Amino acid sequence: MPANAAVLAPSAPVDPKPVDLGVLPSELDGGLASRAAIGLAILASDQTLEHEFRALIRIPGVAFYEARVFNDNDITPQTLRAIGPRLAPCVDLILPGMPLDVVGFGCTSATMTLGEETVFAEIRKARPGVACTTPVTGALTAFKALGVKGIGLLTPYSPQINEGLVAYFSGRGLDIAAVATFDRRDDREAARISLASIEAAAEKMAAVPGVEAIFISCTSLRVAEAVTELERRIGIPVTSSNHSMAWHCLRLAGIGDVVEAGGRLFGLPAR
């Protein structure tokens, strides 16, 4: 045997049975939602809302939970109205038997078509008495908190849908000083409109006299992560369907934390 050869000791016999440590002590804490649990009913075709909520809501103890509601890819008044009866079964799938502080419905144009109260009534069939919001509700509350009435409205919708949205907001005391659309009526395409396109359109809209803030409508459009820089460039507040609803969900749930990445709105309380 060579001088440097290792001498291996015989291995100890392995007990074929694991060591049973029995029942160990455990404590329960408040879980991921120790401060607030937010439920979200999201369109089946939506590619953007969850990403933007993750970017905006990074607050310890605040969690959101989603379920999907079937929708047609083509955005028309008829397909939007068809979503209404599907809302309650969708909300019923979000943490059944567990408390939620607020439920948000993620479709701006469907909310406008159905009406906020109809949306809330459908949600409360599954969650009686829960606080509710939508992108429309969040936007209206955001404009009040920001102290603005002259709005630039940017959407991907058909001109027909835009007309309805202008009428809806105008009927609630706002002045739609400018409106524009990318006219991408397929929700799968709306989610792929580039951030550069959205920012360029917002900059153009900000130059229109009377525009005090910009609302980028549709949960498919991406803008939440760029709000702070966009506001710095154009000099007026910017919010969107996802951005305003995320802020409103927090405030309805009693979470008043300032979120620096959320721009001006996320530093304000709801009024």
Side-chain angles (χ1 to χ4, degrees):
M1 176 184 297
N4 61 352
V7 178
L8 298 177
S11 58
V14 177
D15 190 335
K17 295 181 180 180
V19 176
D20 184 357
L21 299 179
V23 178
L24 299 175
S26 61
E27 296 180 354
L28 301 181
D29 62 17
L32 294 174
S34 59
R35 294 182 65 194
I38 297 168
L40 297 172
I42 302 173
L43 296 187
S45 62
D46 195 295
Q47 303 173 54
T48 307
L49 187 149
E50 291 156 308
H51 171 79
E52 298 216 302
F53 264 63
R54 283 192 292 269
L56 292 166
I57 301 180
R58 299 180 178 181
I59 302 171
V62 179
F64 56 91
Y65 305 93
E66 318 91 61
R68 296 264 174 167
V69 57
F70 176 77
N71 67 290
D72 296 278
N73 290 315
D74 293 327
I75 306 168
T76 69
Q78 293 73 29
T79 60
L80 294 171
R81 279 193 289 271
I83 295 171
R86 303 172 188 151
L87 268 176
C90 171
V91 174
D92 218 16
L93 296 175
I94 305 172
L95 298 187
M98 299 177 67
L100 294 174
D101 295 287
V102 59
V103 174
F105 168 51
C107 185
T108 320
S109 52
T111 300
M112 180 271 296
T113 301
L114 295 166
E116 291 167 89
E117 293 305 321
T118 297
V119 170
F120 297 162
E122 290 297 324
I123 289 173
R124 287 174 178 144
K125 286 179 181 178
R127 290 281 180 164
V130 75
C132 300
T133 189
T134 71
V136 173
T137 316
L140 289 169
T141 310
F143 300 147
K144 186 176 180 181
L146 289 164
V148 295
K149 286 194 173 182
I151 307 302
L153 178 63
L154 177 62
T155 87
Y157 311 137
S158 69
Q160 181 186 12
I161 296 290
N162 266 13
E163 288 174 8
L165 198 57
V166 168
Y168 199 95
F169 282 138
S170 297
R172 281 150 181 78
L174 297 172
D175 174 21
I176 304 302
V179 62
T181 179
F182 296 113
D183 200 13
R184 296 282 184 174
R185 307 183 193 191
D186 188 318
D187 203 37
R188 294 166 296 186
E189 290 187 352
R192 293 171 54 203
I193 296 172
S194 71
L195 183 56
S197 297
I198 294 168
E199 290 179 319
E203 289 188 44
K204 185 173 183 178
M205 189 166 278
V208 175
V211 172
E212 300 174 273
I214 291 176
F215 178 56
I216 299 164
S217 181
C218 185
T219 59
S220 287
L221 297 189
R222 293 169 281 159
V223 73
E225 292 173 88
V227 162
T228 302
E229 175 58 22
L230 185 55
E231 287 182 334
R232 186 192 66 77
R233 287 211 309 272
I234 66 178
I236 61 175
V238 176
T239 190
S240 70
S241 294
N242 294 331
H243 183 261
S244 63
M245 189 168 76
W247 168 80
H248 199 214
C249 281
L250 290 176
R251 299 305 183 251
L252 285 174
I255 306 300
D257 299 40
V258 172
V259 178
E260 296 292 341
R264 300 189 196 183
L265 181 60
F266 274 73
L268 299 174
R271 292 196 297 174

